């Protein structure tokens, strides 16, 4: 709040008759005033007491201050585990989110390395008729030489299309060559383009598991809202805590992504 005090000693002012638009100010050196020069509305009676004018101005926050207020981070949410256990399956929610991060870490190790190994190929997941199998359960895997992996599909030749699809979607940037029931998989050279492709695949996997964690969060909150015996304040507090738990695991996954991308790009 700003206050500007203006003191003006106006000895010849009439608040009833004077209009400031018609008032003429004379220079200090003028000694006499011709009555004819004074507008009729400017004829006033003498007031013995000076008038005190007080002007009040309301202060508003500057743009920079507003931006600072908007930029303030929300305080850290404290998770009340005891409160959560009363209304949700806390262990299941926490465990499922943790598993998503762990699975992402394992996929990074198995499928996103600069040198694809036979071990990564062996544990490659293949989807067949709604079921999931590791490639080593369907084929014999060996190395022809340091630069080529051989996958013998003679035991389950009908699964070759599914295996090729799994290899294509593995993110390992592999281009298998089929010869009958045998797949020859050349290990790609470590080029800049190969590094960048692996880095993009790492980001794709991160998004997949991040969305998985958000799904767990949203499903938990949906179940929570069906409970009618929880007050609005408690409902809001619990939702905030569930979101905070999800944010914690997503933050862990984000750190894994950053570390993996630095490794793949050679930074």
């Amino acid at each position: 709040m700003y206050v500007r005090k203006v003191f003006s000693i106006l000895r010849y002012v009439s608040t009833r008759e004077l209009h400031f638009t018609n008032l003429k100010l004379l220079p200090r050196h003028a000694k006499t005033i011709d009555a004819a020069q004074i507008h009729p509305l400017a004829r006033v009676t003498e007031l013995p007491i000076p008038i005190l004018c007080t002007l009040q101005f309301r202060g508003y926050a500057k743009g920079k201050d507003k931006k600072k207020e908007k930029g303030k981070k929300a305080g850290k949410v404290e998770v009340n585990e005891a409160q959560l256990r009363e209304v949700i399956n806390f262990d299941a929610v926490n465990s499922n989110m943790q598993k998503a991060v762990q699975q992402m870490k394992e996929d990074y190790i198995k499928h996103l390395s600069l040198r694809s190994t036979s071990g990564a190929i062996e544990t490659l997941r293949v989807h067949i008729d709604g079921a999931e199998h590791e490639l080593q359960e369907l084929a014999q895997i060996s190395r022809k030489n340091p630069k080529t992996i051989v996958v013998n599909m003679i035991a389950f030749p009908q699964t070759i299309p599914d295996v090729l699809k799994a290899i294509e979607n593995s993110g390992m940037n592999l281009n298998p060559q089929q010869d009958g029931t045998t797949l020859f998989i050349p290990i790609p050279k470590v080029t800049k383009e190969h590094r960048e492709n692996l880095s993009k695949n790492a980001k794709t996997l991160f998004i997949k598991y991040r969305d998985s964690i958000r799904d767990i969060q949203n499903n938990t909150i949906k179940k929570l809202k069906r409970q009618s015996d929880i007050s609005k304040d408690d409902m809001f507090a619990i939702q905030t805590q569930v979101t905070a738990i999800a944010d914690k695991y997503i933050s862990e996954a984000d750190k894994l992504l950053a570390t993996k991308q630095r490794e793949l790009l050679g930074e």
Side-chain angles (χ1 to χ4, degrees), residues 1 12 17 25 27 30 43 45 57 64 73 75-77 86 94 110 122 137 173 193 217 263:
M1 181 73 68
Y12 302 99
E17 299 181 359
L25 301 178
R43 297 194 183 97
T45 58
F57 297 90
K64 292 182 179 179
K73 294 182 179 179
K76 183 179 179 181
V77 177
E86 293 179 359
N94 193 65
K110 292 177 181 178
E122 288 173 358
E137 298 173 5
N173 195 31
E193 183 180 4
Q217 169 197 327
E263 172 195 327

Side-chain angles (χ1 to χ4, degrees), residues 17-261:
E17 299 181 359
L18 178 61
H19 291 270
F20 285 100
T21 55
N22 296 320
L23 180 63
K24 295 183 178 180
L25 301 178
L26 298 178
R28 290 184 179 180
H29 63 270
K31 296 182 179 180
T32 60
I33 301 175
D34 189 353
Q37 296 177 354
I38 300 177
H39 194 279
L41 293 177
R43 297 194 183 97
V44 299
T45 58
E46 183 176 356
L47 292 177
I49 302 175
I51 295 176
L52 174 64
C53 298
T54 303
L55 303 179
Q56 296 183 350
F57 297 90
R58 183 174 181 181
Y60 294 92
K62 295 181 180 180
K64 292 182 179 179
D65 296 332
K66 290 181 179 180
K67 289 180 180 178
K68 288 181 180 179
E69 291 178 3
K70 289 182 179 179
K72 289 182 180 178
K73 294 182 179 179
K76 183 179 179 181
V77 177
E78 295 293 336
V79 176
N80 187 336
E81 187 175 324
Q83 182 189 32
L84 292 178
R85 287 183 182 278
E86 293 179 359
V87 291
I88 66 172
N89 190 339
F90 176 81
D91 291 332
V93 171
N94 193 65
S95 176
N96 289 336
M97 290 183 180
Q98 190 174 28
K99 284 179 181 178
V101 177
Q102 184 61 32
Q103 188 61 59
M104 172 181 158
K105 185 175 182 179
E106 291 177 4
D107 282 353
Y108 276 1
I109 295 172
K110 292 177 181 178
H111 307 312
L112 291 176
S113 61
L114 293 175
R115 292 288 184 183
S116 299
T117 64
S118 58
I121 294 295
E122 288 173 358
T123 57
L124 182 67
R125 295 181 184 86
V126 183
H127 294 273
I128 303 173
D129 298 330
E132 191 176 79
H133 303 271
E134 289 188 352
L135 183 55
Q136 62 186 351
E137 298 173 5
L138 307 172
Q140 296 176 352
I141 302 171
S142 61
R143 277 183 176 271
K144 181 178 179 181
N145 55 57
K147 295 183 179 181
T148 307
I149 296 174
V150 180
V151 180
N152 190 339
M153 299 293 303
I154 193 169
F156 299 95
Q158 70 277 14
T159 64
I160 290 178
D162 298 306
V163 171
L164 291 173
K165 184 177 180 180
I167 294 173
E168 180 183 353
N169 297 330
S170 66
M172 290 187 284
N173 195 31
L174 302 176
N175 296 305
Q177 300 173 1
Q178 182 178 354
D179 183 6
T181 58
T182 303
L183 303 179
F184 295 95
I185 306 177
I187 299 175
K189 294 181 180 179
V190 182
T191 62
K192 181 180 179 181
E193 183 180 4
H194 179 51
R195 287 176 180 270
E196 290 175 349
N197 286 335
L198 290 176
S199 178
K200 289 178 182 178
N201 291 333
K203 181 65 177 290
T204 300
L205 281 174
F206 164 74
I207 292 173
K208 171 186 174 182
Y209 288 108
R210 179 200 65 189
D211 292 347
S212 176
I213 293 171
R214 287 299 182 203
D215 286 341
I216 297 169
Q217 169 197 327
N218 294 334
N219 290 334
T220 302
I221 291 175
K222 284 180 182 179
K223 292 178 182 179
L224 185 66
K225 289 181 176 180
R226 294 173 190 158
Q227 302 183 37
S228 57
D229 57 340
I230 303 176
S231 67
K232 289 184 178 180
D233 290 341
D234 287 343
M235 180 73 73
F236 177 78
I238 294 168
Q239 288 183 45
T240 302
Q241 292 177 62
V242 171
T243 301
I245 295 171
D247 289 343
K248 181 189 75 171
Y249 285 111
I250 289 174
S251 178
E252 288 183 18
D254 189 51
K255 290 177 182 178
L256 288 174
L257 169 65
T259 301
K260 192 64 180 180
Q261 285 186 320

